[in-house]
């Protein structure tokens, strides 16, 4: 396959087997990420964002989670054909991940310097001094003085801990960074600092990034492209500019309408009526139909197909199929 994109996901389907039945976490998911591009993966809790990330990295909890269909091409090679040993070499070195809560990512009984060194040692062998030097440099890159390398995670604030996690993730200069709500567990003032840092490092290191978030403000800050996920599928995909100029899918429109407007005199926030679908019992047809203000009889019968509504902008919704896209 020609290597047109750094990452290309085709028809990815991930199920979990539970005591309550099969959870359809991701269904026929398609996506591309270009070199140096940042893609925002946006949706409510349970939309399948994190499961998609774990699917890409082949870190789904076993034996419950399974990729039941699809292909994940990274640099032109299907990751789903790789053995565990081959994946170990790719993870950390070529694909790295940052999790929501830095406390669960860091080892509390190891110094932060040693944790960065450990990652470098795994993928880029060198002398002890060279590895130590590189770890110090990485701390400085994320704005932490190198003299703090022998301190433990509990001696750092939440924002500083997340900086250490970013240093570990970037220490082997990965081509793809997957960040799962990296600022959600932080105070609002610190969130902006960490986002600015990520934006700068992404440009300096020329890393492609998938930013998993429920926050359209984060997307506006850092992303080039956006994929809106609902019920385990991408329902709309666009460049950031195109999506913010005109969102098409009723779910995306609902997300934008629910952002508080400080200039408005309205005393109640707009919310999307109803609840996200139960993944063990997905609605038929378009999974948004039970909540959609525009639903038509066909919406509950058949899943809508992809409709191109602009350059690098497509949506899955019957409203545009019927009206010839616009
Ligand atoms: Fe609403 Fe139908 Fe479009 Fe789904 S396909 S978002 S139910 S109009």
């Amino acid at each position: 396959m020609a290597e047109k994109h750094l990452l290309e996901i085709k028809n990815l389907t991930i199920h979990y087997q539970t005591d309550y039945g099969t959870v359809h976490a991701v269904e026929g998911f398609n996506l591309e990420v270009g070199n140096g591009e940042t893609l925002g993966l946006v949706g409510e809790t349970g939309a399948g964002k994190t499961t998609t990330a774990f699917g890409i990295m082949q870190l789904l909890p076993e034996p419950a989670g399974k990729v039941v269909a699809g292909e994940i091409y990274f640099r032109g090679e299907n990751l789903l054909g790789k053995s565990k040993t081959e994946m170990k070499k790719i993870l950390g070195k070529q694909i790295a991940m940052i999790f929501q809560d830095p406390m669960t990512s860091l080892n509390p009984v190891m110094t932060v310097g040693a944790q960065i060194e450990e990652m470098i040692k795994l993928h880029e062998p060198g002398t002890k001094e060279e590895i130590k030097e590189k770890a110090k440099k990485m701390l400085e890159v994320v704005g932490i003085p190198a003299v703090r390398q022998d301190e433990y995670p509990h001696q750092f604030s939440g924002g500083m801990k997340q900086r250490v996690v970013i240093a570990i993730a970037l220490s082997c200069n990965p081509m793809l960074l997957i960040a799962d709500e990296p600022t959600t567990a932080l105070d609002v003032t610190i969130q902006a600092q960490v986002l600015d840092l990520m934006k700068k490092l992404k440009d300096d290191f020329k890393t492609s990034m998938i930013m998993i978030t429920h926050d359209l403000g984060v997307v506006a800050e850092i992303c080039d492209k956006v994929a809106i996920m609902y019920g385990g599928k991408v329902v709309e995909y666009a460049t950031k500019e195109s999506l913010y100029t005109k969102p098409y899918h009723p779910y995306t429109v609902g997300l934008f309408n629910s952002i508080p407007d400080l200039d408005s005199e309205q005393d109640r926030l707009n919310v999307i009526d109803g609840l996200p679908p139960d993944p063990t019992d997905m609605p038929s047809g378009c999974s948004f139909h039970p909540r959609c203000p525009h639903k038509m009889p066909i919406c509950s019968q058949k899943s809508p197909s992809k409709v191109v509504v602009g350059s690098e902008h497509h949506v899955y919704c019957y409203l545009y199929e019927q009206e010839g896209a616009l």
Side-chain angles (χ1 to χ4, degrees):
M1 198 194 87
E3 203 182 307
K4 207 166 117 210
H5 303 282
L6 178 68
L7 181 77
E8 187 166 1
I9 303 177
K10 291 181 171 181
N11 193 32
L12 183 67
T13 302
I14 302 174
H15 290 172
Y16 291 105
Q17 296 304 331
T18 71
D19 292 345
Y20 305 99
T22 302
V23 172
H24 298 255
V26 176
E27 282 293 326
F29 179 97
N30 295 294
L31 197 74
E32 289 120 32
V33 182
N35 283 301
E37 205 170 82
T38 295
L39 176 106
L41 199 51
V42 181
E44 292 163 303
T45 306
K49 309 181 300 283
T50 303
T51 297
T52 303
F54 281 122
I56 295 169
M57 302 183 76
Q58 292 189 44
L59 294 176
L60 291 167
E62 288 178 348
K66 224 182 195 127
V67 173
V68 294
E71 290 137 278
I72 302 171
Y73 291 100
F74 177 68
R75 304 178 72 195
E77 288 184 40
N78 190 357
L79 293 181
L80 295 177
K82 302 267 177 217
S83 67
K84 281 208 159 72
T85 319
E86 287 171 320
M87 275 312 288
K88 257 192 190 158
K89 286 189 192 144
I90 293 173
L91 299 183
K93 172 74 188 143
Q94 296 183 41
I95 306 177
M97 188 156 178
I98 297 174
F99 295 93
Q100 191 177 117
D101 182 358
M103 264 334 275
T104 55
S105 315
L106 293 173
N107 183 339
V109 294
M110 251 177 118
T111 65
V112 297
Q115 296 190 53
I116 303 174
E117 285 171 34
E118 201 176 43
M119 177 60 94
I120 300 169
K121 245 187 276 174
L122 264 180
H123 298 289
E124 290 181 0
T127 64
K128 222 174 155 193
E129 286 69 35
E130 283 167 350
I131 291 173
K132 206 172 179 65
E133 212 36 56
K134 174 135 199 231
K136 269 190 187 170
K137 221 165 102 198
M138 284 313 299
L139 270 183
E140 278 168 354
V141 162
V142 297
I144 298 176
V147 288
R148 299 197 65 183
Q149 66 174 324
D150 294 326
E151 293 182 20
Y152 290 88
H154 74 268
Q155 294 170 282
F156 290 80
S157 65
M160 292 294 248
K161 278 197 276 263
Q162 197 58 306
R163 283 170 188 258
V164 174
V165 172
I166 294 169
I168 295 172
L170 292 179
S171 60
C172 294
N173 204 357
M175 303 181 84
L176 177 66
L177 183 64
I178 303 177
D180 189 2
E181 308 262 12
T183 56
T184 305
L186 306 175
D187 291 344
V188 178
T189 46
I190 307 298
Q191 281 183 4
Q193 283 178 16
V194 171
L195 269 189
D196 281 349
L197 173 72
M198 291 186 73
K199 204 154 89 181
K200 181 180 175 304
L201 294 179
K202 171 188 95 82
D203 293 339
D204 291 353
F205 283 71
K206 312 229 176 315
T207 312
S208 299
M209 185 152 80
I210 297 179
M211 171 68 82
I212 296 176
T213 181
H214 61 273
D215 186 339
L216 285 166
V218 169
V219 172
E221 194 65 34
I222 200 166
C223 298
D224 306 307
K225 307 263 173 70
V226 196
I228 305 287
M229 251 188 120
Y230 188 84
K233 288 182 181 167
V234 172
V235 294
E236 184 161 7
Y237 171 88
T239 59
K240 176 176 70 185
E241 288 72 24
S242 188
L243 192 85
Y244 281 66
T245 307
K246 180 156 176 46
Y248 281 82
H249 197 280
Y251 175 62
T252 317
V253 173
L255 286 180
F256 275 103
N257 287 344
S258 56
I259 299 174
D261 178 358
L262 295 180
D263 296 330
S264 159
E265 291 187 0
Q266 225 178 298
D267 52 5
R268 308 194 108 221
L269 289 175
N270 294 313
V271 291
I272 303 173
D273 285 337
L275 293 169
D278 173 356
T280 61
D281 186 18
M282 278 291 182
S284 57
C286 167
S287 55
F288 189 59
H289 84 257
R291 305 172 75 183
C292 181
H294 306 289
K295 80 166 174 246
M296 301 168 271
I298 191 171
C299 301
S300 57
Q301 291 158 15
K302 225 174 118 212
S303 294
S305 311
K306 173 172 157 179
V307 182
V308 175
V309 290
S311 149
E312 292 199 85
H313 194 158
H314 62 253
V315 63
Y316 292 80
C317 174
Y318 283 116
L319 285 176
Y320 309 104
E321 271 190 37
Q322 294 196 338
E323 291 169 20
L326 296 170

